[in-house]
């Protein structure tokens, strides 16, 4: 599969588009003033304990207190509390040696929140979910620091290897390597990307993460809650960290700083792929150049059309998302069951893409076209599971129910991407009516007369192509353009622009700067 990452930097933030075989599958927007991103670490102050919910509300600096449930406390919550206090009060120049830290006993799974967080202490927490709608962030005390090949979890000594590495020998090899190089008081999860990697590569990745943990210790020194202790990497580098593989063959960036950062990051984690990063500085907007703007316009909105003529209707309610599959004008042959299967398989591929693209989370109910044969229902389920496999969010797909509905659950970690693809008509401003085109010619001539009497020369008039054809039609001496030249004693260039609406026009001077009227 051909994977490309197109990064569009603008003053209001950075947009990141992931293309698979030229098709847009993920769209991320990182605002310039973004805060509370998943993975960020904060020193929070416990504000309120809710025994009925077995949860606590923690002040991390957001307008609404963040939510911390007992199940997200981590078995090592007491160790984390102890570490937080030691790190805040530490006065040693080099920082205390974490390898000598005495880990506290684990908390029990069925315990109570007020037994662990009594006294409302300060605690180091990690953002589990970004603020969504009116809710504050959701927190976790199970601190994890992800790298390219491994993830470290402080306060335990467990080594786990990704189940996606199927070879038993390879799993054992990786386990032995990590156990040999792992520092004390750190647990390590070996990621799928570590398959086939040597000791030096794993050690380098692990050493960088341990260094990050030391930075956290340093940032905690003297900190006053609420305070940000460590920011997760930018979305660009976190996406690269999670996705970069042999299929990832191009990263295009239109900002010099992000280009340098991205190239340096790839140079560090995969030197052989550093040349896939390129700097884009052509005149056309980068998303237009790579066809992303058009795909965004086509993919968002209530109705999504499929190549065969079938279409999806996507509705959002407070509790869930509902997707209806319609056959549209798709030709109906003799075999209705086969037609239904083909349409449903096409829809399954598009639905899996839509879930990633819009980042839909929670419960999704899909109303596929009814099929009678159990074999076909099984094929559709297998196809949906296969299409959802590249999705990095945790998800589950249930078989089609007796009502012909498929239920999908998908992890929600941030607000869904919602782009309004409908625009207010610039000609009528939404009223449905525009001024008469007969009057437009008079208005243009009135403005032209004003500019010429104020000593403007070498004027260029830019209009819609239809208006351009009207003003330049006829023989040389009969067109409006010629009549104006004869009347005002100077030539007026007329240029067309397909982006203008019918009644839009602008005058430009000889330097091609617009003249404001």
């Amino acid at each position: 599969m051909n994977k490309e990452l197109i990064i569009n930097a603008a003053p209001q933030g950075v947009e990141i588009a992931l293309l698979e075989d030229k098709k847009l599958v993920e769209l991320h927007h990182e605002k310039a003033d973004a805060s509370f991103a998943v993975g960020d670490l904060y020193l929070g102050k416990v504000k309120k304990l809710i025994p009925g919910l077995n949860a606590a509300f923690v002040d991390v600096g957001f307008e609404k207190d963040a939510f911390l449930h007992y199940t997200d406390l981590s078995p090592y919550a007491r160790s984390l509390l102890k570490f937080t206090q030691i790190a805040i009060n530490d006065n040693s120049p080099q920082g205390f040696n974490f390898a000598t830290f005495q880990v506290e006993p684990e908390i029990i799974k069925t315990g109570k929140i007020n037994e662990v967080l009594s006294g409302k202490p300060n605690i180091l927490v990690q953002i589990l979910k970004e603020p969504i709608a009116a809710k504050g962030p959701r927190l976790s005390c199970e601190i994890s620091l992800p790298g390219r090949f491994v993830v470290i979890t402080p306060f335990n000594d467990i080594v786990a290897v990704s189940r996606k590495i199927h070879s038993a020998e390879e799993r054992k090899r990786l386990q032995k390597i990590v156990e040999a190089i792992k520092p004390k008081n750190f647990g390590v999860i070996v990621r799928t990307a570590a398959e086939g990697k040597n000791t030096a590569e794993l050690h380098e990745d692990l050493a960088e993460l341990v260094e990050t943990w030391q930075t956290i210790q340093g940032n905690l020194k003297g900190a006053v809650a609420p305070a940000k202790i460590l920011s997760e990497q930018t979305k660009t580098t976190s996406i690269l960290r999670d996705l970069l593989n042999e299929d990832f063959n191009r990263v295009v960036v239109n900002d010099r700083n992000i280009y340098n950062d991205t190239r340096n990051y790839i140079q560090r984690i995969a030197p052989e792929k550093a040349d896939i990063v390129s700097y884009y500085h052509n005149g056309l907007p980068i998303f237009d150049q790579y066809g992303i703007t058009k795909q965004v316009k086509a993919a968002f909105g209530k109705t999504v059309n499929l190549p065969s003529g079938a279409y999806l209707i996507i509705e959002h309610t407070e509790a869930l998302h509902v997707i209806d599959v319609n056959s549209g004008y798709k030709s109906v042959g003799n075999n209705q069951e086969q037609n239904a299967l083909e349409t449903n398989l096409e829809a399954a591929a598009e639905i899996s893409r839509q879930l990633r693209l819009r980042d839909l989370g929670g419960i999704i109910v899909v109303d596929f076209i009814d099929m009678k044969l159990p074999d076909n229902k099984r094929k559709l389920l297998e196809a949906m599971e296969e299409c959802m496999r590249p999705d990095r969010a945790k998800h589950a797909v249930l078989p089609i129910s007796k009502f012909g509905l498929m239920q999908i659950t998908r992890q929600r970690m941030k607000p869904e991407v919602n782009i309004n693809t409908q625009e207010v008509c610039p000609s009528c401003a939404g009223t449905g009516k525009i001024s008469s085109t007969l009057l437009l010619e008079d208005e243009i001539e009135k403005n032209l007369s004003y500019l010429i009497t104020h000593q403007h020369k070498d004027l260029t008039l830019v209009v819609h192509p239809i208006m351009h054809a009207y003003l330049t039609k006829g023989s040389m001496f009969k067109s409006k353009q010629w009549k104006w030249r004869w009347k005002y004693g100077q030539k007026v260039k007329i240029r067309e622009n397909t982006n203008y609406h019918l009644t839009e026009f602008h005058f430009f001077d000889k330097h091609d700067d617009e003249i404001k009227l």
Side-chain angles (χ1 to χ4, degrees):
M1 186 181 287
N2 179 7
K3 288 184 181 177
E4 298 168 284
L5 200 67
I6 313 298
I7 303 168
N8 176 33
Q12 63 272 25
V14 179
E15 287 180 298
I16 304 162
L18 174 62
L19 305 180
E20 290 181 356
D21 294 332
K22 304 291 181 187
K23 200 163 189 181
L24 180 66
V25 292
E26 287 185 29
L27 188 64
H28 302 269
H29 189 210
E30 185 179 13
K31 292 180 182 175
D33 59 348
S35 59
F36 301 101
V38 172
D40 284 356
L41 269 74
Y42 282 81
L43 176 63
K45 169 72 176 170
V46 177
K47 298 288 281 187
K48 192 187 291 184
L49 299 173
I50 314 290
L53 294 174
N54 207 13
F57 284 101
V58 182
D59 179 13
V60 290
F62 191 66
E63 57 193 63
K64 289 206 169 183
D65 288 341
F67 184 77
L68 174 63
H69 194 268
Y70 186 87
T71 53
D72 295 320
L73 268 185
S74 155
Y76 305 97
R78 288 198 174 94
S79 299
L80 182 63
L81 284 165
K82 178 181 170 184
F83 166 80
T84 306
Q85 291 309 311
I86 292 173
I88 290 172
N89 300 316
D90 180 36
N91 292 319
S92 57
Q94 300 299 320
F96 73 94
N97 184 1
F98 186 66
T100 62
F101 179 81
Q102 291 297 311
V103 175
E104 295 294 305
E106 295 183 20
I107 62 172
I108 57 171
K109 287 184 181 179
T110 54
K112 302 295 182 187
I113 194 90
N114 46 0
E115 293 170 359
V116 181
L117 298 181
S118 59
K120 299 180 181 176
N122 292 340
I123 187 168
L124 183 66
V125 290
Q126 193 163 27
I127 303 293
L128 194 62
K129 283 185 182 178
E130 292 178 20
I132 296 174
K135 298 176 183 175
R138 182 156 182 180
L139 306 177
S140 171
C141 289
E142 296 199 55
I143 309 295
S144 62
L145 301 177
R148 175 79 178 119
F149 306 124
V150 297
V151 178
I152 66 166
T153 55
F155 311 114
N156 68 61
D157 279 306
I158 298 164
V159 175
V161 182
S162 168
R163 292 178 186 174
K164 291 181 181 176
I165 299 175
H166 300 299
S167 165
E169 286 182 13
E170 178 63 5
R171 288 165 65 89
K172 281 180 186 173
R173 183 186 76 87
L174 291 168
Q175 181 114 12
K176 282 182 181 175
I177 290 173
V178 172
E179 282 175 350
I181 62 175
K182 182 184 75 65
K184 194 172 182 297
N185 284 339
F186 285 108
V188 179
I189 301 164
V190 182
R191 304 182 75 170
T192 314
E195 191 168 7
K197 301 302 176 187
N198 59 37
T199 307
E201 290 172 299
L202 295 172
H203 187 267
E204 184 183 357
D205 199 37
L206 187 59
E208 283 182 10
L209 295 176
V210 171
E211 198 174 304
T212 303
W213 181 250
Q214 288 167 353
T215 303
I216 293 168
Q217 278 186 224
N219 292 346
L220 276 171
K221 192 181 291 187
V224 179
K228 184 184 277 194
I229 300 302
L230 188 81
S231 284
E232 166 67 309
Q233 292 169 304
T234 62
K235 281 189 181 170
T236 314
T237 48
S238 62
I239 288 171
L240 285 171
R241 180 190 67 206
D242 293 341
L243 294 182
L244 190 71
N245 58 28
E246 60 276 6
D247 298 330
F248 215 109
N249 64 349
R250 182 155 64 163
V251 180
V252 187
V253 192
N254 69 344
D255 179 89
R256 181 63 73 178
N257 290 332
I258 297 176
Y259 164 77
N260 291 332
D261 290 347
T262 306
R263 188 175 171 85
N264 291 341
Y265 179 76
I266 294 182
Q267 184 78 50
R268 186 162 52 82
I269 64 170
E272 73 282 0
K273 298 192 80 70
D275 292 336
I276 67 174
V277 188
S278 60
Y279 175 59
Y280 178 87
H281 50 86
N282 294 355
L284 200 65
I286 188 169
F287 273 16
D288 291 358
Q289 175 69 32
Y290 291 94
I292 294 163
T293 306
K294 188 175 180 181
Q295 289 195 56
V296 167
K297 293 285 185 186
F300 286 87
K302 183 179 173 181
T303 305
V304 178
N305 295 308
L306 305 179
S308 68
Y311 60 95
L312 309 176
I313 303 252
I314 302 176
E315 296 271 16
H316 169 65
T317 72
E318 187 65 29
L320 45 78
H321 300 275
V322 182
I323 302 175
D324 186 28
V325 180
N326 294 287
S327 57
Y329 61 82
K330 183 175 168 67
S331 58
V332 179
N334 296 330
N335 191 334
Q336 188 177 344
E337 181 79 7
Q338 187 61 28
N339 284 333
L341 176 62
E342 287 175 8
T343 305
N344 286 339
L345 291 175
E346 182 187 25
E350 181 60 29
I351 288 166
S352 66
R353 171 179 171 247
Q354 287 289 332
L355 298 186
R356 291 172 68 188
L357 191 53
R358 299 179 187 224
D359 210 1
L360 301 184
I363 300 170
I364 301 107
V365 177
V366 186
D367 182 9
F368 283 106
I369 298 169
D370 289 342
M371 298 183 296
K372 293 182 173 61
L373 298 180
D375 250 15
N376 288 343
K377 291 180 180 179
R378 181 180 48 77
K379 282 179 187 173
L380 179 57
L381 175 64
E382 289 172 356
M384 179 56 87
E385 288 173 338
E386 184 60 34
C387 292
M388 293 282 289
R389 189 160 284 126
D391 195 339
R392 289 178 292 138
K394 291 177 185 173
H395 59 268
V397 183
L398 295 184
I400 294 175
S401 71
K402 63 181 179 181
F403 297 121
L405 304 175
M406 178 182 283
Q407 295 171 70
I408 301 169
T409 62
R410 188 175 182 274
Q411 180 187 25
R412 175 161 56 187
M413 295 176 68
K414 62 181 194 291
E416 70 174 271
V417 179
N418 190 12
I419 297 173
N420 184 11
T421 57
Q422 294 183 326
E423 298 170 3
V424 174
C425 172
S427 302
C428 71
T431 63
K433 295 176 182 178
I434 61 171
S435 59
S436 169
T437 49
L438 292 171
L439 301 176
L440 182 62
E441 178 195 332
D442 292 341
E443 191 180 346
I444 291 173
E445 188 169 346
K446 184 178 73 175
N447 284 299
L448 178 62
S449 173
Y450 171 83
L451 291 173
I452 288 173
T453 55
H454 283 76
Q455 309 305 312
H456 285 279
K457 294 183 179 180
D458 298 320
L459 293 169
T460 301
L461 170 66
V462 183
V463 292
H464 184 273
I466 294 175
M467 199 64 199
H468 178 270
Y470 172 73
L471 295 174
T472 57
K473 72 175 182 180
S475 64
M476 183 185 289
F477 299 104
K478 289 185 179 179
S479 70
K480 289 287 177 188
Q481 185 179 18
W482 177 261
K483 286 177 181 176
W484 288 343
R485 180 175 183 176
W486 186 261
K487 183 176 179 179
Y488 297 110
Q490 64 171 270
K491 185 179 178 181
V492 179
K493 296 175 190 170
I494 302 179
R495 208 167 65 217
E496 60 184 313
N497 189 325
T498 54
N499 291 324
Y500 282 24
H501 59 79
L502 182 60
T503 59
E504 183 179 3
F505 66 90
H506 296 282
F507 285 97
F508 293 83
D509 61 21
K510 61 183 177 183
H511 304 296
D512 214 25
D513 293 326
E514 186 184 343
I515 302 169
K516 299 291 183 184
L517 290 164

